[in-house]
Amino acid sequence: MTDRNNSTTTTAVVTTTNTSAAKPIWMKQAEEAKLKSEAENTAAAKAAFDATFKVLSDKAEKAVDSDSEEEDAEKDLANKPVGPVDPGKCTAAGAGIAGGTACAPATFVVVTKDADGRKVPNGGAVIRVRVSPGVGVGGTEQEGVVKDMGDGTYTVTYVVPKRGNYMVTIECNGKAIMGSPFPVFFSAGVYIYGYGILCFFC
């Protein structure tokens, strides 16, 4: 009686052990696929993480490189002598470059600069200014009076005889400066003669 119960218990234990040890093939494949998928996801996440930080690192390196390149360029420019004059970089400024009143002197200043946009510290450039009347104004082209100030700037004075639109062409060493020719407008002016005043609207 006792032996029969013991043998039944033993058999039950063996059966349970065999059932847990022998998994179906589809279950093994599912577990392997799950492990493989997790490994791939982990690898992809790591690759994305590395790529992100590589891009940020590259940008930081480029920023440092560009900063050092700019500093080098500034140092080179500081050591580079100013000149020669580049007409395309020269500028004109002053009231006379916008217009004024007919019959009254109009004045402006031409500033000579080199190819790097730095003001040339000495004179000697050939500045020519031509003032041409616009359509319907009449008259002939005239030259402006140019004074070399000896410091890289040139004072220009000109007078137009009557009201209207004009074009002011400025050349440095035979080439147009930046912005030339300049359109200008002159309002009516007044002539004054002798001790009496004679008004003449141009």
Side-chain angles (χ1 to χ4, degrees), residues 94-108 131-134 137 142 157-168 182-189 202:
I97 205 65
T101 304
C103 309
T107 305
F108 63 89
V131 183
S132 308
V137 175
Q142 57 183 305
T157 305
Y158 67 100
V159 179
V160 299
K162 58 184 174 179
R163 178 182 186 278
N165 293 308
Y166 294 80
M167 292 297 284
V168 177
F182 298 89
V184 297
F185 175 76
F186 283 83
S187 59
C202 304

Side-chain angles (χ1 to χ4, degrees), residues 168-193:
V168 177
T169 303
I170 307 169
E171 293 179 351
C172 174
N173 296 338
K175 295 182 180 178
I177 71 165
M178 185 188 299
S180 178
F182 298 89
V184 297
F185 175 76
F186 283 83
S187 59
V190 177
Y191 279 124
I192 300 175
Y193 290 105

Side-chain angles (χ1 to χ4, degrees), residues 82-83 85 112 119-125 148-154:
V82 178
V85 173
T112 53
K119 180 181 172 293
V120 175
N122 53 279
D148 187 344
M149 304 306 288
D151 61 354
T153 65
Y154 302 76

Side-chain angles (χ1 to χ4, degrees), residues 1-2 8 12-13 31-32 42 46 50 54-55 60-61 66 89 91 111 126-127 135 137 155 189-190 193 199 202:
M1 193 77 173
T2 305
T8 304
V13 171
E31 287 177 357
E32 288 173 3
T42 303
K46 185 177 185 306
D50 292 343
K54 185 177 186 306
V55 168
E61 286 176 11
S66 64
K89 297 287 185 176
T91 58
V111 180
V126 178
I127 305 296
V135 178
V137 175
T155 302
V190 177
Y193 290 105
C199 293
C202 304

